[in-house]
């Protein structure tokens, strides 16, 4: 099992931008990926190989209404890019919930990745 603390991700609604006929990663997303990459590497996680389960506790950065499911994709993509998981299509279960702590600027997410069905190299 691997446990990480990551910066609060951008909503999936903000990670892509259309520039003419091309679809590119937005600056907000590129910046978050760079910050997240540095945080993952600093925590030196053990990779979880094969099928996995993902548990996320999100800490609210403010009191705005937010769609909790919109932060799963950026987290999964970051975990794949950093080699924590092999590929996000290998998720067997994803659980995500809001923390019941008060919102705070600079809030993030706590992520736990565990092997599913005994697969872990």
């Amino acid at each position: 099992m691997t446990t990480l603390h990551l910066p609060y991700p951008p909503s999936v609604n903000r990670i892509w931008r259309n520039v003419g006929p091309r679809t590119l990663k937005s600056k907000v997303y590129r910046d978050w990926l760079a910050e997240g990459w540095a945080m993952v590497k600093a925590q030196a996680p053990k990779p979880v190989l094969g099928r996995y389960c993902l548990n996320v506790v999100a800490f609210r950065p403010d009191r705005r209404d937010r769609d909790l499911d919109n932060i799963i994709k950026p987290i999964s993509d970051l975990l794949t890019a950093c080699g924590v998981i092999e590929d996000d299509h290998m998720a067997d279960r994803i659980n995500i919930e809001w923390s019941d702590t008060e919102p705070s600027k600079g809030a993030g997410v706590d992520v736990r990745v565990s092997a599913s069905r005994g697969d872990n190299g």
Side-chain angles (χ1 to χ4, degrees):
M1 179 170 47
T2 293
T3 302
L4 297 164
H5 180 73
L6 301 173
Y8 192 86
S11 168
V12 75
N13 297 326
R14 297 188 62 210
I15 65 176
W16 303 107
R17 292 292 172 251
N18 292 321
V19 179
R22 300 177 359 194
T23 300
L24 305 172
K25 291 178 184 174
S26 69
K27 179 169 179 5
V28 168
Y29 188 38
R30 290 190 318 268
D31 290 348
W32 180 82
L33 287 170
E35 182 183 1
W37 180 277
M39 288 179 76
V40 169
K41 292 307 176 185
Q43 295 171 73
K46 180 181 176 192
V48 175
L49 304 176
R51 313 282 319 161
Y52 68 93
C53 299
L54 178 65
N55 290 286
V56 178
V57 177
F59 297 85
R60 292 180 186 272
D62 53 41
R63 296 191 184 280
R64 288 186 300 168
D65 289 335
R66 296 170 181 269
D67 293 341
L68 190 58
D69 59 336
N70 279 347
I71 65 172
I72 296 168
K73 184 63 175 165
I75 293 168
S76 295
D77 286 350
L78 177 65
L79 295 175
T80 301
C82 292
V84 175
I85 58 175
E86 292 178 81
D87 195 283
D88 55 355
H89 81 271
M90 299 178 87
D92 281 335
R93 183 179 65 237
I94 297 173
N95 180 55
I96 185 166
E97 61 186 288
W98 288 116
S99 167
D100 46 356
T101 60
E102 284 295 311
S104 66
K105 188 171 181 146
V109 293
D110 288 342
V111 176
R112 189 175 70 233
V113 185
S114 57
S116 181
R117 299 189 197 139
D119 291 344
N120 195 7

